[in-house]
């Protein structure tokens, strides 16, 4: 009598961790039908799936999923609706579920009731209790988390902030030799301030540009700054600084990558270099304001934009003032407050450096020694700073913020800023935040005690102020009257405008029958042109130009055809030509 072979089922994991059903041949009765054999060939055993809930420090609930010999943390909200977002994230992590398994997972998630707090680190940068570097190093371990170390959820970049050597060697070979080199010291201080932008409650970012001709040490300054965070002179590996070949459209990725950090962009003079003067000016302006805004479109179909806080450092042969269009003074002024120029002119005999230390024949020999030092020692200063920053914040946030505010107030006083001038105060506070970061870095052992942080910040501020063209209030009024956007008309030829168009107009230049010119500004136009309106109107030369009415600062004028007289600010610009 013949015996036949019957297939029985076993499962073995394939290379992707998925259990595949396979057939094992045994000497059994072969009376199995063709339809049964077909079902057996498609058989997939149900694999165990485990879940549990947790809440991140941000307050966002997550679901831990274990399946296919892999685990993943998925936002609880991604299981809503069809759950396609959750399924996509699971697939990206190698967990590919059959239809029945997906149904089983959805049922388990729906039954979850407990979401206890857990130290889930959702993104690099500053969070409620922690700071995480992009390599996954987390600062801010708390007693509440003992036995449950922080769990990093984001994709790590281990090379960008890699360390080499020791902090002591960096101090001895880089930090100490740069004491007394004031621009270089300030550039190092900028690197620590990036982690404090969100902490102090700033809603906009800002940057610094090192501007000057080739050969003055701009690149050296950026390499030294990069060594605070990670590699700076690795020819074949990943360096901390990034290339300026990134376009405005590519900034979103850079901002995400540098959230709560410093960003270094080299050679921004190459940015849009082949464009016309007007196009380039517009693109540079877009760059400055997009960086200040710090917002990027969120992923996974969510409409809310993510905001990223940082400070950035650039280098250029052409300062911002040289690129922006001269007829757009107010745009240039706004950009200038957000990208602060530090000139390194050819009139400085040693370029970046204030002097050449003993033992070096030239500034270039000194720079070469520093470059050699940062090649073998980097990435340690920021770690020392962040460890102390987060420890201090977690211990007493109010005390830390009060300390930072006190240092910034000290800086305001040191540079004698005009507190009635909004632009000047904003710029001083940007330099002041860098001073505060540098001073704390020195106190916390991330910079050498010999560094003169206040003096370095004052010198950098004075260099910046030297690039700003200072015009008297009267000159500012006269310059405004010459702008091409002014609506020009002669007596008897009022412009045809709606009431809304007249109210929103940047201003009017009226030529009177006797040859006088009057600059006419509505209250809205006045506030936009001169945010410090009271300061402008207090100037004696401006008061002499002002056409007042019964002791008031404003007078009445008809500014559109068919309109009624409205109260405006009116300045006599020229004497009668007749």
């Amino acid at each position: 009598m013949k015996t036949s072979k019957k297939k029985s089922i076993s499962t073995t994991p394939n290379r992707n961790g998925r259990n595949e059903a396979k057939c094992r041949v045994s000497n059994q009765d072969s009376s199995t039908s063709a339809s049964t054999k077909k079902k057996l060939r498609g058989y997939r055993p149900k694999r165990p799936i485990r879940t549990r809930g947790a809440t991140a420090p941000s307050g966002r609930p997550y679901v831990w999923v274990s399946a296919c010999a892999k685990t993943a943390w998925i936002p609880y909200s991604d299981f809503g609706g069809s759950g396609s977002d959750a399924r996509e994230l699971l697939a990206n992590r190698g967990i590919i579920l059959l239809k029945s398994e997906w149904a089983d997972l959805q049922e388990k998630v729906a039954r979850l009731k407990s979401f206890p707090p857990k130290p889930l680190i959702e993104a690099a940068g500053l969070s409620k209790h922690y700071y995480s570097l992009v390599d996954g190093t987390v600062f801010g371990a708390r007693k509440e988390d003992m036995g449950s170390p922080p769990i990093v959820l984001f994709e790590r970049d281990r090379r960008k902030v890699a360390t080499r050597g020791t902090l002591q060697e960096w101090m001895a070979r880089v930090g100490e030799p740069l004491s007394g080199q004031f621009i270089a010291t300030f550039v190092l201080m900028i690197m620590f301030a990036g982690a404090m932008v969100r902490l102090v409650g700033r809603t906009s970012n800002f940057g610094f540009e090192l501007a000057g001709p080739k050969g003055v040490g701009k690149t050296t300054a950026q390499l030294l700054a990069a060594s605070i965070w990670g590699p700076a002179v690795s020819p074949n590996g990943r360096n901390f600084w990034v290339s300026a070949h990134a376009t405005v459209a590519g900034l979103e990725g850079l901002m995400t990558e540098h959230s709560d950090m410093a960003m270094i962009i080299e050679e921004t003079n190459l940015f849009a270099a082949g464009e016309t003067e007007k196009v380039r000016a517009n693109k540079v302006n877009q760059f400055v304001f997009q960086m200040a805004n710090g917002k990027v479109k969120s992923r996974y179909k969510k409409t809310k934009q993510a905001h990223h806080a940082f400070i950035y450092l650039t280098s250029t042969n052409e300062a911002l003032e040289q690129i922006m269009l001269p007829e757009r003074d107010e745009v240039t002024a706004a950009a200038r407050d957000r990208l602060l120029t530090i000139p390194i002119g050819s009139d400085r005999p040693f370029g970046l450096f204030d002097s050449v230390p003993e033992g070096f024949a030239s500034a270039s020999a000194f720079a070469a020694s520093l470059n050699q030092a940062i090649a073998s020692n980097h990435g340690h200063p920021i770690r020392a700073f962040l460890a102390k920053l987060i420890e201090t914040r977690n211990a007493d946030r109010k005390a830390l913020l009060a300390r930072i505010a006190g240092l910034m107030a000290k800086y305001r006083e040191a540079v004698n800023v005009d507190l009635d001038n909004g632009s000047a105060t904003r710029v001083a506070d940007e330099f002041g935040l860098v001073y505060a970061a540098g001073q704390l870095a020195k106190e916390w052992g991330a910079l050498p005690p010999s560094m003169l942080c206040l003096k370095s910040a004052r010198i950098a501020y004075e260099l910046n102020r030297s690039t700003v063209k200072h015009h008297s209030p009267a000159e500012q009024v006269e310059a405004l009257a010459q702008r091409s956007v002014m609506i020009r008309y002669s007596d008897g030829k009022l412009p045809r405008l709606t009431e809304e168009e007249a109210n929103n107009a940047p201003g009017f230049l009226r030529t009177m029958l006797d040859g006088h010119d009057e600059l006419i500004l509505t209250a809205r136009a006045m506030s936009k042109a001169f945010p410090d309106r009271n300061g402008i109107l207090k100037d004696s030369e401006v008061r002499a130009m002002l056409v007042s009415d019964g002791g008031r600062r404003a007078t009445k004028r008809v500014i559109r055809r068919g309109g009624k007289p409205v109260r405006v600010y009116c300045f006599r610009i020229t004497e009668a030509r007749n």
Side-chain angles (χ1 to χ4, degrees):
M1 180 176 178
K2 290 184 179 181
T3 60
S4 60
K5 296 180 179 180
K6 183 178 181 180
K7 295 180 181 178
S8 62
I9 304 301
S10 66
T11 60
T12 57
N14 69 3
R15 71 177 68 182
N16 295 320
R18 293 181 57 189
N19 289 327
E20 298 264 351
K22 293 196 174 181
C23 296
R24 182 172 60 247
V25 179
S26 60
N27 292 327
Q28 302 289 339
D29 187 2
S30 63
S31 60
T32 308
S33 67
S35 62
T36 301
K37 291 179 180 179
K38 185 175 181 181
K39 288 180 181 178
L40 287 172
R41 283 197 297 270
Y43 175 74
R44 295 290 188 276
K46 194 172 183 180
R47 296 166 292 184
I49 297 175
R50 292 183 295 157
T51 61
R52 65 171 180 263
T55 301
S58 66
R60 192 180 191 188
Y62 277 80
V63 177
W64 176 79
V65 178
S66 174
C68 308
K70 298 182 185 299
T71 62
W73 286 94
I74 307 298
Y76 179 72
S77 60
D78 284 5
F79 285 93
S82 66
S84 58
D85 287 347
R87 201 162 189 175
E88 181 181 344
L89 287 176
L90 287 168
N92 290 339
R93 288 158 176 75
I95 300 177
I96 301 175
L97 302 177
L98 302 173
K99 186 176 181 179
S100 60
E101 292 171 329
W102 173 244
D104 182 31
L105 173 59
Q106 285 183 304
E107 184 179 344
K108 289 177 182 293
V109 171
R111 290 202 303 264
L112 285 174
K113 301 297 182 184
S114 176
F115 291 85
K118 200 168 189 66
L120 304 177
I121 311 302
E122 300 170 276
L126 195 66
S127 58
K128 187 174 181 180
H129 303 297
Y130 311 96
Y131 184 102
S132 177
L133 287 171
V134 294
D135 68 347
T137 302
V138 179
F139 302 92
R142 305 180 304 149
K143 292 181 180 178
E144 299 95 311
D145 301 329
M146 296 303 291
S148 179
I151 300 170
V152 175
L153 305 185
F154 61 87
E155 186 176 350
R156 309 182 191 197
D157 183 344
R158 300 184 185 280
R159 293 189 298 165
K160 186 174 180 66
V161 291
T163 60
R164 190 175 180 185
T166 66
L167 176 61
Q168 293 72 23
E169 277 292 302
W170 185 91
M171 288 280 200
R173 299 179 60 189
V174 182
E176 288 290 352
L178 288 176
S179 296
Q181 309 289 351
F182 300 114
I183 297 178
T185 294
F186 183 76
V187 167
L188 296 183
M189 292 159 59
I190 293 171
M191 294 297 100
F192 298 101
M196 292 170 51
V197 175
R198 193 190 308 273
L199 176 65
V200 299
R202 283 191 62 95
T203 57
S204 63
N205 306 317
F206 59 96
F208 296 88
E209 65 170 6
L210 302 175
K214 292 182 179 180
V216 295
K218 303 187 300 295
T219 298
T220 296
Q222 290 187 292
L223 296 179
L224 294 170
S227 74
I228 295 284
W229 283 88
V233 290
S234 175
N236 301 318
R238 179 89 184 274
N239 288 304
F240 181 76
W241 51 267
V242 297
S243 168
H245 290 297
T247 63
V248 170
L251 287 178
E252 289 190 359
L254 291 178
M255 287 191 282
T256 302
E257 187 179 332
H258 293 84
S259 189
D260 298 309
M261 296 171 62
M263 184 191 306
I264 301 175
I265 308 175
E266 53 92 31
E267 294 293 345
T268 51
N269 54 281
L270 301 177
F271 183 73
E275 304 285 359
T276 65
E277 181 180 308
K278 183 176 181 179
V279 170
R280 188 183 185 202
N282 288 335
K283 286 192 174 183
V284 169
N285 182 65
Q286 181 185 354
F287 164 80
V288 171
F289 280 91
Q290 188 174 356
M291 294 289 274
N293 192 29
K295 288 188 177 180
V296 302
K297 296 177 182 177
S298 61
R299 300 297 186 260
Y300 304 117
K301 305 176 184 178
K302 296 175 177 60
T303 56
K304 186 178 179 181
Q305 287 185 311
H307 175 266
H308 299 284
F310 53 83
I311 291 177
Y312 63 103
L313 174 69
T314 72
S315 63
T316 180
N317 295 340
E318 298 175 274
L320 178 71
E321 193 87 27
Q322 297 173 279
I323 297 174
M324 299 298 285
L325 298 175
E327 65 268 22
R328 302 185 68 190
D329 287 343
E330 78 286 355
V331 175
T332 301
R336 192 170 53 219
D337 287 356
R338 292 160 176 80
L339 178 56
L340 305 155
T341 302
I342 300 176
I344 306 178
S346 55
D347 57 330
R348 290 175 60 89
F350 307 112
L352 168 69
F353 305 119
D354 293 270
S355 62
V356 176
E358 291 184 11
F360 296 97
S362 63
S364 58
F366 181 37
S369 172
L370 293 169
N371 285 341
Q372 185 178 21
I374 63 177
S376 54
N377 296 277
H378 51 253
H380 295 285
I382 195 61
R383 293 169 184 260
F385 178 80
L386 291 173
K388 193 66 178 177
L389 177 70
I390 303 306
E391 176 190 339
T392 306
R393 184 199 65 170
N394 289 350
D396 194 336
R397 180 187 179 91
K398 288 185 178 179
L400 174 61
L401 293 178
R403 171 77 170 128
I404 295 170
L407 290 169
M408 293 177 67
K410 179 180 178 180
Y411 184 79
R412 279 186 180 185
E413 185 177 352
V415 298
N416 195 28
V417 65
D418 180 4
L419 298 179
D420 291 326
N421 186 318
S423 173
T425 303
R426 179 167 52 249
V427 170
D429 282 348
E430 289 163 349
F431 277 88
L433 180 60
V434 174
Y435 160 63
Q439 184 63 29
L440 292 175
K442 185 169 75 167
E443 293 174 9
W444 293 340
L447 285 177
S450 57
M451 279 194 163
L452 304 175
C453 294
L454 182 58
K455 186 172 182 179
S456 298
R458 285 185 62 181
I459 288 175
Y461 176 80
E462 290 165 3
L463 287 169
N464 169 260
R465 295 292 85 188
S466 71
T467 67
V468 179
K469 295 179 181 178
H470 295 283
H471 299 288
S472 70
E475 289 173 334
Q476 293 178 48
V477 172
E478 290 174 347
L480 181 64
Q482 302 308 314
R483 291 190 56 217
S484 59
V485 294
M486 292 295 116
I487 298 174
R488 299 170 183 267
Y489 70 93
S490 305
D491 274 354
K493 297 181 180 179
L494 289 167
R496 293 179 181 272
L497 300 170
T498 65
E499 183 177 357
E500 183 180 2
E501 289 171 337
N503 288 335
N504 292 326
F508 302 83
L509 190 65
R510 171 195 179 195
T511 300
M512 303 169 66
L513 294 176
D514 64 1
H516 287 100
D517 283 343
E518 282 187 347
L519 174 64
I520 299 171
L521 302 173
T522 63
R524 181 178 298 178
M526 183 71 181
S527 297
K528 187 174 181 180
F530 303 110
D532 183 25
R533 177 177 59 187
N534 291 331
I536 288 285
L537 294 175
K538 287 178 182 178
D539 181 79
S540 59
E541 290 183 339
V542 172
R543 286 203 306 269
M545 300 166 66
L546 190 65
V547 179
S548 58
D549 181 10
R552 294 187 177 186
R553 288 177 170 177
T555 188
K556 286 190 174 183
R557 290 286 187 270
V558 178
I559 57 176
R560 67 186 183 91
R561 187 172 298 186
K564 297 179 180 180
V566 293
R567 196 161 291 280
V568 295
Y569 293 90
C570 184
F571 303 91
R572 184 68 60 89
I573 298 299
T574 61
E575 294 299 326
R577 290 188 290 268
N578 296 333

